[in-house]
Amino acid sequence: MAGKLITLEGIDGSGKSTQMRMLAGELRLRGIDILATQEPGGTPLGRRLRGAFLETEEQVDPRAELLLFAADRAQHVNLLIKPAIAEGKIVISDRYADATLAYQGAGRGFPKEVVLDVIKLATDGLKPDLTIFFDLPVERALSRANDSDSDSRTTNRMDFETSEFYTRVRKEYLSIAENEPERFRVIDGDRSVEEIHHDVVDLVTRFIGQDESGRPPSAATKA
Ligand code: ADP
Ligand code: TYD
């Protein structure tokens, strides 16, 4: 199977991480060789960066923030994602470059050309083959994120942004969806975990060419 990059995006609390865990589990059950990873913090260096600039109460300059997400991504792409794709793996990343367009571009207000240049430098032009965007109203996502703060989730600086900030972020994601409908698929995230999981598995297995039984379509026809 040819390696591919699939990314999951959404505002905080949209349910990405929950769906990532369930999707990874299902694909592994079907014997598909995947690498499940995340940004920021997909590599040891990235985890140290994440702690330093995201899980801190220290004020972080927006330029530093933009470049630190880029540094995390450069390490992630070049040391982990590209080698895995070259080995034929399906790489699934909980967030990738679209998050920088949405959060640092629309959210913080950096000009799009600047953000695109920084992304190009960090990724060396590697684009996702498929992106799944979990969409739901900002207030719904924020109330989920706040409810979950007491359990497994680590609170980070971005969790203290305003709903206006997240509204700009969501709008930017929806605008990417409009401009790149082939790559960027919008899933209604305001449903039960199981309903969403069903759609995600359907989308991803179709995309990578595996039918419900886990066999590639050609093998399924011959069987
Ligand atoms: P994200 O990674 O997008 O921030 P999470 O997967 O961590 O989101 O989910 C945030 C919170 O919402 C968690 O407490 C999770 O259990 C809960 N959650 C996730 N999906 C749903 C859903 N479809 N309906 C209700 N609650 C959900
Ligand atoms: P995380 O705890 O991973 O949140 P989530 O589970 O919601 O993905 O925190 C990552 C935070 O960093 C999240 O608020 C989104 C933000 N972020 C950016 O602002 N720019 C980026 O390029 C990336 C990858 C993430």
Side-chain angles (χ1 to χ4, degrees), residues 1-3 42-43 55 58 71 77 83 87 93 98 107 112-114 145 178 193 197 206 209:
M1 194 186 291
T43 62
E55 289 157 22
E58 184 180 349
V77 166
E87 281 173 24
S93 184
D98 295 302
K112 197 166 202 155
E113 316 81 70
V114 171
E178 222 172 279
V193 169
H197 174 60
R206 278 170 202 268

Side-chain angles (χ1 to χ4, degrees), residues 114-136:
V114 171
V115 177
L116 286 173
D117 278 349
V118 170
I119 289 174
K120 187 138 191 266
L121 180 66
T123 62
D124 200 20
L126 181 73
K127 285 203 104 187
D129 298 289
L130 173 71
T131 298
I132 303 177
F133 174 60
F134 297 94
D135 188 40
L136 81 174

